[in-house]
Amino acid sequence: MVKNMTNENKNRLVAGIVLLIAVLIPLVLDKPYYIHVLTMCLLWAYLASAWNIVGGFAGQLSLGHGIYTSVGAYVTVILFNEFGLSPLLGMFFGAGAAVLVSLIIGLPTFGLRGAYYALSTVAISEGLVVLYENTMTIGGLRLGGAEGLIVKLIGDAPLHLQFTSKIPYYYIALVMLLLIIGLSKWITKSRLGYYLVALREDEDGARALGIDVRRTKLIAGALSAFCAAIGGIFYAMLIRYLEPQAIAGAAMSTQMVFLAIVGGAGTVMGPVIGGILLALISEIIRFYLGGYVMGLHLFIYGLIVVLMIIYKPGGIIEVVEHYYRRLMNFRDREVASGAGDSSGS
Amino acid sequence: MVQETVLDLRDLTINFGGLVAVDSLNMTVKKGEAVGLIGPNGAGKTTVFNLISGFYKPTRGDVVFMNEKITGLAPYDVCRKGIGRTFQIVKPFGKMTVLENVMVGGFSRTRNPQECRQIAAEVVEMVGLGSKKDALAKNLTIGDRKRLEVAKALATRPEILLLDEVLAGLNPTEVDESVELIKEINASGITIVMIEHVLQATMAICNRIVVLDYGKKIAEGTPAEVTQDPEVIKAYLGDEYETTVN
């Protein structure tokens, strides 16, 4: 029966099945620890996808996306802690602030090319971490400095995004991931997506074809910052604690980049698959090995990442796609449309 | 019949440090013309294109397009005004297919992906890349890359097309095909200015030729006039040939 379906319908069928499994998992695996791990997998897939908009499609190697997760999270949490503003509303201020910051950073840095842009994002985000660590209050609002900021606990309050159970967080993360996959798909099919890939491949060539390169980068940067900020806000509500290194530091910034690149930067599903798979692997090896030798799990994780980059520079997505096509008996040369789909190697 | 002036370069000059790369160039191009821009290596031909298309800002002088000063406009604005250009060192978007490459150009005229795809498909067909429309640009031969370069610029629906050595590196058959293509483009109403080293081809296409040397215009006229010009012969072959030819 499957044989007579078009590729697109096969894709829909598979997507439906995967989604159904994702929806049902919490009913089967009901230990909070498992749910938490799965929620983090979805969140990392989401964050990698957020980075992918500017880092993958537009090819601007931002190593400082912790800036946006942290600005979003801090603004939202401060509004909640100090004024009792629900994060459901506060997140628009948080994400809005992140967009503003992305524009302020983007205006001078998007003129830079290659390594210079990457370096400037590192410098700015590292500076920001130091600022967080050394600021106890801003104009009377508590920021918490290096000891971090605790999100006020008010118990089960869905309207304030607080739940005593882990399960609602899982579903929120799932919806967020679905939304960003939809956004990525839309980008690849729209003019914006074509423009981003074009300027990634050749800036002067793009300019000559009528593309305002800086403006296009700013738009991608702002979209990416908005999404990353929402992810940071969700993280804050899930963990209920903001620590500068964790939300803004190199660990956050580089993790997004790793997951997206190892998964397949510049594709819609690469960062999603990379995020879920690597976050899962990293948690499993931490669970089994973390107790024996300190840091061994990180070493092994690093090794996997290095091997992937050496042997599959196009990302896990290439391997997955290859076997998926074979498994599903895809009709050849029914070429997928959309700029970002041509992942190539 | 008075022909409308499409492009007018007035006293166009640019210095790089102490070097005057283009020196007080005056040149007009009328609608429907095909003008060749020739000259020895380093004469400033590509610099003239970079000045027209907004990649360089002139030190002095103006670029006037359809009676409007466009001096100093950014490249993307120049493109949207109706000036298309190709690059001597081609700039394909490697990881995009041929059709997608051309669509990038088409998007300067429409936001609608379907409409854009249609524009691009027509252009791809016209330049003879129809059978390769789904190939990745990085896998094309140099000949096809040059065609793609023309296709991308054409998809922006230009009034005038600046072609920078689109015949260089092609084999004789490909040169013939490209000459036909450029004639066809010109016949469809698009004004052409082309930089070229393949002189026979230039003469087959252009009704007027401008010769640059050391950033200055040293001759201008029909192909026949220009090739007889002693200044031109001197520029190409050196001083000692001057007497023998005369």
Side-chain angles (χ1 to χ4, degrees), chain A residues 189-191 193-195 197-213 215 333 335-345, chain B residues 55 75-77 79-80 83-85 87 90-97 100-101 103-105 107-111 113 117 134 136 138 152-153 156:
Chain A
K189 299 209 150 122
S190 69
R191 177 167 87 164
Y194 282 81
Y195 276 14
V197 177
L199 70 85
R200 176 187 78 200
E201 297 292 309
D202 196 306
E203 274 196 24
D204 281 339
R207 250 183 215 107
L209 294 183
I211 301 178
D212 184 341
V213 168
R215 183 162 165 265
R333 290 290 111 205
V335 179
S337 58
D341 289 350
S342 49
S343 50
S345 62
Chain B
F55 280 85
Y76 54 85
D77 274 333
C79 166
R80 280 159 191 247
I83 300 182
R85 76 163 289 183
F87 291 90
V90 292
K91 298 185 177 295
F93 306 127
K95 289 191 177 180
M96 287 175 141
T97 67
E100 287 166 351
N101 264 272
M103 281 177 72
V104 173
F107 273 123
S108 67
R109 295 294 167 232
T110 171
R111 260 181 180 280
R117 190 171 286 271
D134 293 322
L136 289 183
K138 62 174 181 176
K152 281 156 67 184
T156 67

Side-chain angles (χ1 to χ4, degrees), chain A residues 272-290:
Chain A
V272 176
I273 290 172
I276 292 176
L277 226 55
L278 282 190
L280 205 59
I281 291 172
S282 123
E283 185 59 27
I284 289 170
I285 50 184
R286 189 189 69 85
F287 188 82
Y288 287 106
L289 296 175

